[in-house]
Amino acid sequence: MMYSNKKFQNSPRNSLALVALLGLAACGGGSSPSTEPKTDDDPTITDNSTISDETQAEMIVRVSEDLTVMVGEEFPISALLVLTSTPSELPLYEWKMVGISADAVFEASDQTRTTMVINTEGEFEVKFTAKVGELEGSDTMTVTVIDPIVNQAPIVNAGNSKTIDFNETLQLNASVSDDGVPTSSLFTQWSFSSNDGNATFNETSEINTQVTFDFAGKYTLTLTADDGELSSEDSLIITVKEPVVVIDDPGPNPTDNGGGISANERWKTVTTSDGSKPQARHEAGAVAFNGDMYLMSGRGKRNVNRYDPGQNRWTTEGNSTTDFSHFQPVVYGGKIYAVGGLTCCFPSENVLTHVQIFNPATKKWSQGHTIPANRRRGGGGVVNYKNKIYMIGGNTNGHDGGTVNWFDEYNPATNTWKTLKSAPNKRDHINVVVVGDRLIVAGGRKTDHPNVFNNPVTDTDVYNFKTGKWETDHPDIPTPTAGAMVVQVGNEAVVIGGEIGSSRSALTTVQAYNVVSRKWRTLKTLNTARHSGGAVVVGNAIHVVSGNTTRGGGAETQSHEKLDLD
């Protein structure tokens, strides 16, 4: 307890006349107490008043009415003293806190009128005592101290700046917090500014909405939050890359556009800013979403890792783990879809019966639409072309036969499946990409136990979405490979790593197929041999991570490397 404690000191200010009538009622809404002496049968006398007798003399003490004040607020208090006889000596006064301790300070605790400050929230008793000779009286008041709430502006985080592909739908992952003052309601609004084109939001008032851009260039997106009194905002910059231009008919002398990759560029090992690494895994999947790399699933229980190239660090997204493998994830509607895949156990793994969906906003997996029983398989290639998901090839019986050349279209908006014309070649353990309006299918094998690594497929199959036909006049892949990771850069499909039966080690080979010149070329090799990891293009580089460093399993890696683009 902290307060002034000057007990019963004589003061010239406190001298009394024959009848002492000292002090007025406290400020702050209280009425002045009566100055008339009160008797025991007077109902206005409170229970905590004390009257002491000295012969026929009486003393009556009254203090200010109860108060409600703010923490740290200085407020006045006063006391009223009535004597019914002439005092023989000067009176002594004392203010003090009683009961619960508090950080309190009196300006003058030995005066009938003073001020005080209480710096602790709560309800407290303040007592005034007067003493004249043998006479003594006291009274208490209750002071309720509340902590004032001062409105603070909302805190807005619009998210990190990104570089995305042309025609990519961007899922915004912003956050807004507020103190709930003056009300719990918040008004939020997205806006944009750009000299290059227009940005279209699905819903401008939703914090986590989607946005599309009609031209390549730079766009500043701003999220504003308003609580009715105060507002704040935060912005991020979105860079939309130039669209890929693919010539449908390259003519007799096509130009070999390198696709933005220098043949002399070497792979660089990535060391993150905080030392973070992804979870080692293989037979996994990776996809670019909102400018970040998402690495997910694989053999055994695996969580979702996200790599932010702007901050150069890995994070784990939520606590959900999955136990499926041999799939290629794609983005649709702000979520990541896994259509087709394998579960336990080698060599005759079961196939997924339902589409699996990961929501980056909630960081949770959910089960989607049922895959038709006669089209279920794993190890196939999957792409999103114009908001429909296409699956090519795969295996219906894990690693024990069952390789197919099936080609399917899945419309997630209507949850409908359509069987398309099968590909020229059966193959599994593939990743595929779309370059312009063409689906590039290269590599893979026809897996059959016990010689699962035999039977590589060398043909390059290309499906033209515009004509609706398969093209078979494309050159074979130079180095046959299965379990390779594939990305699209410019006019090229880049096939990275993989495994073959003739090598105990996984491959470091990197091959690029240009759909305009219809030529394969070899790029610089990986620093770490691997198959069945993840590869995406983010931050103007090809990023390759995880996988297995030997043929088959048993040597999973966390290794992360990148190839910078022109």
Side-chain angles (χ1 to χ4, degrees):
M1 183 180 295
M2 300 177 61
Y3 56 89
S4 300
N5 190 21
K6 300 178 181 178
K7 292 188 175 180
F8 306 116
Q9 295 179 359
N10 289 324
S11 171
R13 290 179 55 187
N14 296 329
S15 59
L16 297 177
L18 181 61
V19 177
L21 190 60
L22 303 177
L24 298 174
C27 299
S31 59
S32 299
S34 171
T35 60
E36 295 298 325
K38 299 180 181 180
T39 60
D40 288 342
D41 59 355
D42 189 332
T44 62
I45 296 178
T46 60
D47 293 340
N48 57 1
S49 299
T50 303
I51 299 178
S52 299
D53 295 328
E54 187 178 76
T55 62
Q56 296 181 352
E58 290 185 354
M59 175 189 292
I60 300 174
V61 176
R62 292 290 184 270
V63 295
S64 309
E65 290 191 356
D66 296 343
L67 295 174
T68 298
V69 298
M70 300 291 187
V71 171
E73 175 188 355
E74 185 178 23
F75 59 94
I77 52 176
S78 62
L80 174 68
L81 174 65
V82 176
L83 291 175
T84 60
S85 63
T86 302
S88 59
E89 54 186 275
L90 293 176
L92 303 175
Y93 309 120
E94 181 190 39
W95 289 96
K96 68 177 181 179
M97 303 286 291
V98 294
I100 303 173
S101 62
D103 179 5
V105 178
F106 295 92
E107 180 185 23
S109 63
D110 60 348
Q111 307 295 323
T112 58
R113 284 177 175 271
T114 187
T115 61
M116 72 176 298
V117 175
I118 303 177
N119 296 310
T120 305
E121 185 179 8
E123 187 175 282
F124 307 98
E125 297 296 320
V126 180
K127 183 177 182 179
F128 175 79
T129 302
K131 185 176 181 181
V132 181
E134 296 301 321
L135 288 177
E136 182 175 321
S138 64
D139 193 14
T140 60
M141 61 184 294
T142 300
V143 180
T144 302
V145 183
I146 60 176
D147 192 2
I149 300 176
V150 179
N151 185 21
Q152 303 293 321
I155 299 173
V156 181
N157 183 350
N160 299 324
S161 297
K162 308 277 186 184
T163 298
I164 65 172
D165 293 327
F166 184 74
N167 280 338
E168 180 179 343
T169 298
L170 177 66
Q171 174 69 44
L172 296 170
N173 292 312
S175 63
V176 176
S177 59
D178 190 48
D179 57 9
V181 178
T183 68
S184 59
S185 298
L186 274 179
F187 172 77
T188 55
Q189 184 77 25
W190 281 102
S191 60
F192 81 95
S193 63
S194 175
N195 294 323
D196 298 315
N198 292 318
T200 302
F201 299 91
N202 280 6
E203 179 53 65
T204 57
S205 62
E206 290 184 1
I207 296 174
N208 296 319
T209 188
Q210 295 178 343
V211 58
T212 56
F213 309 89
D214 57 1
F215 290 102
K218 290 187 179 294
Y219 298 78
T220 299
L221 308 184
T222 301
L223 177 62
T224 303
D226 192 320
D227 66 9
E229 291 182 351
L230 301 174
S231 66
S232 55
E233 63 182 34
D234 189 36
S235 299
L236 72 160
I237 297 175
I238 303 301
T239 302
V240 181
K241 296 188 292 187
E242 292 289 342
V244 176
V245 178
V246 178
I247 302 172
D248 285 329
D249 182 8
N253 297 302
T255 300
D256 186 358
N257 178 358
I261 309 174
S262 170
N264 297 318
E265 185 68 29
R266 296 184 179 277
W267 291 85
K268 301 173 183 175
T269 299
V270 175
T271 302
T272 56
S273 59
D274 59 354
S276 57
K277 293 183 179 181
Q279 186 178 17
R281 66 187 81 201
H282 80 296
E283 305 298 359
V287 68
F289 177 74
N290 279 358
D292 294 341
M293 178 181 190
Y294 281 75
L295 178 69
M296 51 186 53
S297 207
R299 282 201 181 276
K301 289 189 177 294
R302 297 290 187 267
N303 50 32
V304 177
N305 295 147
R306 178 175 66 89
Y307 176 70
D308 184 333
Q311 297 184 2
N312 186 28
R313 67 180 183 182
W314 285 94
T315 56
T316 297
E317 299 299 286
N319 298 318
S320 298
T321 60
T322 52
D323 190 7
F324 63 88
S325 61
H326 296 79
F327 71 106
Q328 184 176 2
V330 295
V331 173
Y332 171 81
K335 298 178 182 179
I336 300 173
Y337 280 64
V339 180
L342 302 179
T343 59
C344 194
C345 293
F346 180 87
S348 301
E349 296 94 336
N350 294 320
V351 294
L352 287 179
T353 58
H354 291 75
V355 175
Q356 305 298 310
I357 304 172
F358 181 76
N359 187 338
T362 63
K363 303 179 181 181
K364 293 181 178 179
W365 285 95
S366 63
Q367 185 166 276
H369 187 67
T370 301
I371 301 172
N374 62 342
R375 307 302 285 184
R376 295 171 186 170
R377 70 267 200 190
V382 182
V383 296
N384 180 341
Y385 176 78
K386 295 186 176 180
N387 288 326
K388 293 182 180 179
I389 297 175
Y390 294 84
M391 179 164 56
I392 176 67
N395 196 299
T396 61
N397 197 31
H399 291 73
D400 198 11
T403 303
V404 297
N405 58 349
W406 298 344
F407 189 32
D408 295 270
E409 176 190 280
Y410 168 54
N411 187 340
T414 59
N415 281 325
T416 55
W417 293 78
K418 181 180 179 180
T419 300
L420 304 177
K421 184 178 180 181
S422 296
N425 291 280
K426 296 180 179 181
R427 67 183 88 204
D428 55 57
H429 284 76
I430 55 172
N431 275 190
V432 297
V433 292
V434 172
V435 180
D437 293 300
R438 284 183 169 89
L439 171 65
I440 313 301
V441 186
R445 66 179 183 238
K446 300 173 185 177
T447 304
D448 195 3
H449 193 262
N451 299 313
V452 297
F453 304 110
N454 294 345
N455 303 317
V457 179
T458 59
D459 292 1
T460 300
D461 294 336
V462 175
Y463 182 79
N464 190 320
F465 282 103
K466 283 191 172 181
T467 64
K469 295 180 179 180
W470 285 99
E471 300 172 352
T472 58
D473 56 346
H474 293 265
D476 294 349
I477 189 170
T479 302
T481 179
M485 299 146 285
V486 185
V487 298
Q488 172 263 322
V489 178
N491 292 332
E492 292 185 306
V494 184
V495 182
I496 305 165
E499 61 182 352
I500 54 176
S502 59
S503 173
R504 182 67 185 91
S505 171
L507 300 180
T508 60
T509 309
V510 181
Q511 309 167 81
Y513 180 63
N514 191 308
V515 298
V516 174
S517 65
R518 300 198 177 198
K519 292 181 179 179
W520 284 95
R521 65 180 178 131
T522 301
L523 303 177
K524 294 296 183 182
T525 58
L526 293 169
N527 294 325
T528 301
R530 70 185 82 209
H531 71 86
S532 307
V536 301
V537 177
V538 292
N540 203 40
I542 303 173
H543 288 260
V544 177
V545 66
S546 197
N548 206 81
T549 61
T550 61
R551 187 183 63 202
E556 292 180 338
T557 180
Q558 294 177 293
S559 170
H560 178 187
E561 53 189 295
K562 69 174 183 175
L563 183 69
D564 291 326
L565 303 178
D566 292 343

